[in-house]
Amino acid sequence: MPDGNSLYGPLDPAPDAGWTSAGPRMGFFTDTSVCIGCKACEVACKEWNAVPESGFDLLGMSYDNTGALTANSWRHVAFVEQPVPAGHRSAPFAGNPTGGSASAASAAVAAGTGSASGTDPGVPPGSADAAARMATATAPTTAGPGGTAPTTAPGGTGGVPAGGAVGTGTQFLGMPGAVPPGRGTGVETRTDFRWLMMSDVCKHCTHAACLDVCPTGSLFRTEFGTVVVQEDICNGCGYCISACPYGVIDQRKGDGRAWKCTLCYDRLGAGMTPACAQACPTESIQYGPLDELRERAAQRVSALHDRGVPEARLYGHDPTDGVGGDGAFFLLLDEPEVYGLPPDPVVTTRDLPRMWRRAGLAALAMTAAAVAAFVGGSS
Ligand code: SF4
Ligand code: SF4
């Protein structure tokens, strides 16, 4: 096992940083299986930390309107609209309609195309019976603005023109309906999508490359084991941005300095819970001593496995991983890449000691060669 002050491997970061009377390491456990995507965490974070608004951006293909963690989004609720082959659903979806798509039109809508694209995407249409039911379904006839009859399918799964034809009438813009997939009853509510939601945040890594490379001391390790950036010391050099293996820390436009989640350092000091965890209505975000959170997370994964959700897994909890484990870790329902997370992050400063050793040896060899040439030339 590496020594204390090493650049990788398990350690307790606050004592390692010199805190002699540090309490237990504190952190976040984000259980994405109960996230409802309400974004209360994003809003609470902005309000408490006075983070500027991110602009009213509609991405046009998702209810995720902030898109990523940025200098102005310290919590980011990702919406992953995932085409899942019907019939391959875990227990929570049991009882919902299964089988192939009812028609070629619904398969195309499920694949996100509303008109001919030269490809043949989507889930193949299912039984002829289901296709016939779909084709004879009556579309709502209330005229919308401009006199166009809306053709949104019951259950809000997107605009399927009456009769199943794609490419005429209202265009499907790729946005999911207002009703979550799986809600409602009847074949007409079937959808080939599921939503995965995840409130992402700075990982407060055990080995934080952002902190290792900061030349001004703007980034520091707190007594809670978290990583905080002090904006009044940051000189905007951006080293931390390229060093972070998760792409978390970001430079604010028009300001130049680096910003990220502080895990509400000011609230922790006052014995309070971070704003996002306090606001989360489903307790998807849990705050507390990291050891307790890890135990709770292991129990939750095991309960989900028992309930027939074998895909449940933890991410960032393992102190022997490439960053020494995270102070903010997650329960995921699919591979990390699906959520935009690196599958095997490694602290980017891990190889620095070896590189410096080699550079030192090379410098010594060059010096020895120069001395030998000088001595040899003068004899
Ligand atoms: S390296 Fe990135 S994820 Fe880790 S503490 Fe720094 S900013 Fe957060
Ligand atoms: S983590 Fe909690 S507060 Fe944030 S979107 Fe999910 S349910 Fe809402």
Side-chain angles (χ1 to χ4, degrees):
M1 183 180 293
D3 298 334
N5 294 311
S6 65
L7 292 173
Y8 64 97
L11 54 78
D12 194 356
D16 180 67
W19 292 97
T20 49
S21 56
R25 183 177 179 188
M26 307 299 277
F28 282 137
F29 164 45
T30 303
D31 178 353
T32 69
S33 69
V34 292
C35 176
I36 54 173
C38 66
K39 302 183 191 175
C41 49
E42 279 191 14
V43 175
C45 173
K46 275 186 183 291
E47 281 197 356
W48 179 262
N49 295 296
V51 178
E53 50 105 17
S54 313
F56 186 60
D57 298 326
L58 286 173
L59 303 185
M61 36 60 91
S62 169
Y63 283 129
D64 172 355
N65 64 317
T66 36
L69 286 172
T70 67
N72 291 350
S73 291
W74 297 357
R75 269 268 174 200
H76 162 235
V77 181
F79 282 67
V80 181
E81 288 89 14
Q82 197 184 43
V84 174
H88 292 85
R89 295 185 175 167
S90 47
F93 297 97
N96 289 322
T98 59
S101 292
S103 69
S106 70
V109 168
T113 55
S115 57
S117 63
T119 62
D120 190 20
V123 181
S127 71
D129 282 357
R133 280 200 304 276
M134 193 77 174
T136 54
T138 309
T141 51
T142 313
T148 313
T151 52
T152 304
T157 54
V160 182
V166 176
T168 57
T170 305
Q171 288 295 302
F172 176 64
L173 296 178
M175 294 289 285
V179 181
R183 291 274 170 84
T185 55
V187 70
E188 70 280 3
T189 63
R190 183 170 61 221
T191 165
D192 295 316
F193 278 100
R194 74 168 174 178
W195 286 347
L196 301 176
M197 293 147 190
M198 174 215 186
S199 181
D200 199 5
V201 72
C202 168
K203 314 300 180 290
H204 296 275
C205 312
T206 300
H207 296 283
C210 61
L211 190 155
D212 289 343
V213 301
C214 178
T216 64
S218 166
L219 279 148
F220 73 101
R221 181 76 64 180
T222 73
E223 65 272 39
F224 305 102
T226 57
V227 178
V228 169
V229 53
Q230 305 169 92
E231 65 272 14
D232 53 338
I233 303 178
C234 175
N235 69 1
C237 67
Y239 291 162
C240 55
I241 296 166
S242 47
C244 171
Y246 293 103
V248 163
I249 194 162
D250 184 37
Q251 202 164 34
R252 186 172 290 161
K253 287 190 178 61
D255 171 302
R257 294 171 296 176
W259 300 81
K260 72 166 193 73
C261 158
T262 66
L263 217 142
C264 289
Y265 186 41
D266 51 347
R267 290 174 70 98
L268 303 202
M272 296 165 72
T273 300
C276 56
Q278 181 86 45
C280 177
T282 64
E283 296 185 0
S284 172
I285 301 173
Q286 299 174 34
Y287 161 76
L290 208 51
D291 287 342
E292 275 182 43
L293 292 178
R294 287 196 185 118
E295 268 176 40
R296 209 180 299 167
Q299 283 171 14
R300 174 70 181 153
V301 168
S302 138
L304 285 172
H305 287 177
D306 290 348
R307 284 186 216 164
V309 190
E311 55 271 35
R313 76 209 57 202
L314 295 180
Y315 177 83
H317 66 300
D318 181 1
T320 62
D321 71 11
V323 293
D326 295 326
F329 66 102
F330 301 82
L331 186 155
L332 304 179
L333 294 178
D334 209 325
E335 302 287 342
E337 299 95 310
V338 170
Y339 297 86
L341 294 167
D344 190 16
V346 171
V347 60
T348 48
T349 48
R350 178 180 185 142
D351 293 328
L352 271 183
R354 195 158 43 91
M355 288 161 66
W356 282 115
R357 260 198 310 276
R358 284 192 182 163
L361 283 175
L364 271 177
M366 284 172 63
T367 309
V371 169
F374 180 75
V375 171
S378 61
S379 62

